[in-house]
């Protein structure tokens, strides 16, 4: 990816991006980490536990995505 675009969209080494096929062509978006914000967990859930839950959900999404690529 050209340096000008990496700088414009604040992309750094190690950042994850999402590639989407649209009617207008390929769209690339920076993946953001929400750390479990907006999840239905009790308000008193410690941040460490929220991180653990978010990481487990992210892994499930990655696994499902990988299976979809294998099937495709």
């Amino acid at each position: 990816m050209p340096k000008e675009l990496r700088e414009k969209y604040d992309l750094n080494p190690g950042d994850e991006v999402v590639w989407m096929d649209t009617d207008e062509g390929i769209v690339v978006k920076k993946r953001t980490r929400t750390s479990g914000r907006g999840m239905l967990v009790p308000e008193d859930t410690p941040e460490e536990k929220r991180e653990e839950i978010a990481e487990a959900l992210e892994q499930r999404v990655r696994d499902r995505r990988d299976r979809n690529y294998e099937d495709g």
Side-chain angles (χ1 to χ4, degrees):
M1 183 172 285
K3 181 179 180 182
E4 309 84 53
L5 293 177
R6 292 192 315 266
E7 289 175 350
K8 181 177 180 177
Y9 295 104
D10 191 32
L11 293 170
N12 298 298
D15 286 347
E16 292 183 32
V17 295
V18 178
W19 298 80
M20 295 179 290
D21 185 14
T22 71
D23 291 337
E24 286 92 33
I26 296 174
V27 174
V28 181
K29 289 189 173 187
K30 183 176 181 177
R31 175 171 285 164
T32 58
R33 298 178 65 96
T34 61
S35 300
R37 289 185 195 99
M39 292 177 13
L40 299 176
V41 295
E43 288 185 24
D44 61 346
T45 301
E47 185 64 26
E48 183 177 297
K49 183 65 176 174
R50 289 177 183 270
E51 289 285 337
E52 182 182 318
I53 293 168
E55 288 174 19
L57 288 172
E58 287 176 14
Q59 185 61 50
R60 289 178 62 188
V61 168
R62 282 192 297 272
D63 291 346
R64 182 170 290 159
R65 179 201 61 209
D66 293 345
R67 279 194 308 272
N68 288 339
Y69 285 131
E70 291 170 1
D71 294 341

